[in-house]
Amino acid sequence: MKFTVFGATGGIGREVVRQALDGGHEVTAVVRDPARFTVTGDRLQVVRADLTDPEALRPAVTGRDAVLSGLGARSRKDAGVAARLTRAVLSALEAEGVRRLLVVSAGPVGPEPEGDGVLDRTMRGIVSAALKDVYADLRAMEAELALSATDWTVVRPPRLQDKPVTGSYRAVVGGFPPRGRFIGRADVAHSMLAMVADAGTVKQGVGVAY
């Protein structure tokens, strides 16, 4: 398949590129600073583009089977970037007739998992309060997706870790795994690639966690 990856210099985006290449796919990585992108491969094309300009993004998405995005705020001061940049990506996709889009959000943005205990609910509340601007940005991003013509999927992980890919995690369509506190960035990438051809995840939020 032919994929385009946005946010390819981030932890999840970089893993999406690596795993897609390992799987034999063709990948276009869209970045703002190619010097920060170290992945190489025969089936990889690296494109430098202004991520706020839909017209500049159109050549990178045309003819793609799916687009995967790890775009988002890296800190509270970046709040607003996820919705703003995803809006540009959506405009480019709709202009080029590309329908499949998978993006990364966050567990606390979705519904609370059934069966969580007091500790998990308390921690969720603390984290949500501390990162309220970031989560408001992600909710705005998800609202943009819901209004779009794309076949979108929102992947919602909990706290992220730097661990090798395992392929062993829980995924709940329309919800979140109970007591799901962590997941590795590599496994979030693995889940996104696994969902590309999964019709059951279209226009759904999917919670993923160990």
Side-chain angles (χ1 to χ4, degrees):
M1 300 180 76
K2 295 181 179 180
F3 298 143
T4 292
V5 180
F6 289 95
T9 56
I12 293 174
R14 188 167 54 249
E15 280 295 329
V16 170
V17 173
R18 285 174 175 162
Q19 292 178 37
L21 291 173
D22 288 345
H25 303 291
E26 295 181 24
V27 181
T28 297
V30 183
V31 299
R32 283 174 287 194
D33 182 5
R36 294 181 55 221
F37 187 69
T38 58
V39 181
T40 59
D42 293 337
R43 296 178 305 280
L44 174 64
Q45 178 185 17
V46 180
V47 174
R48 181 176 185 175
D50 178 357
L51 301 182
T52 64
D53 182 0
E55 288 300 312
L57 302 181
R58 288 179 62 177
V61 302
T62 184
R64 297 306 180 199
D65 297 300
V67 172
L68 301 95
S69 172
L71 295 171
R74 298 189 178 187
S75 65
R76 291 180 62 184
K77 68 178 181 180
D78 294 330
V81 71
R84 184 171 66 253
L85 297 185
T86 301
R87 193 176 302 122
V89 170
L90 284 169
S91 295
L93 265 61
E94 291 176 355
E96 293 298 324
V98 178
R99 295 194 59 87
R100 193 69 175 112
L101 173 64
L102 299 95
V103 305
V104 179
S105 182
V109 176
E112 290 193 7
E114 297 181 6
D116 263 2
V118 174
L119 176 60
D120 289 288
R121 291 197 300 270
T122 300
M123 290 304 299
R124 179 180 287 255
I126 292 172
V127 172
S128 294
L131 298 176
K132 63 179 181 178
D133 294 339
V134 173
Y135 292 151
D137 179 24
L138 292 174
R139 290 188 181 94
M141 177 192 72
E142 292 195 17
E144 295 275 354
L145 293 169
L147 294 172
S148 76
T150 62
D151 293 332
W152 54 268
T153 297
V154 172
V155 181
R156 299 179 180 135
R159 183 176 177 180
L160 297 169
Q161 299 175 318
D162 287 321
K163 290 187 173 183
V165 63
T166 68
S168 180
Y169 47 83
R170 295 176 292 161
V172 177
V173 177
F176 194 81
R179 296 172 297 280
R181 300 173 183 174
F182 304 97
I183 192 169
R185 290 175 174 84
D187 276 323
V188 176
H190 184 277
S191 74
M192 294 175 74
L193 290 167
M195 292 178 202
V196 166
D198 184 351
T201 66
V202 172
K203 298 188 186 299
Q204 295 283 346
V206 183
V208 293
Y210 292 141

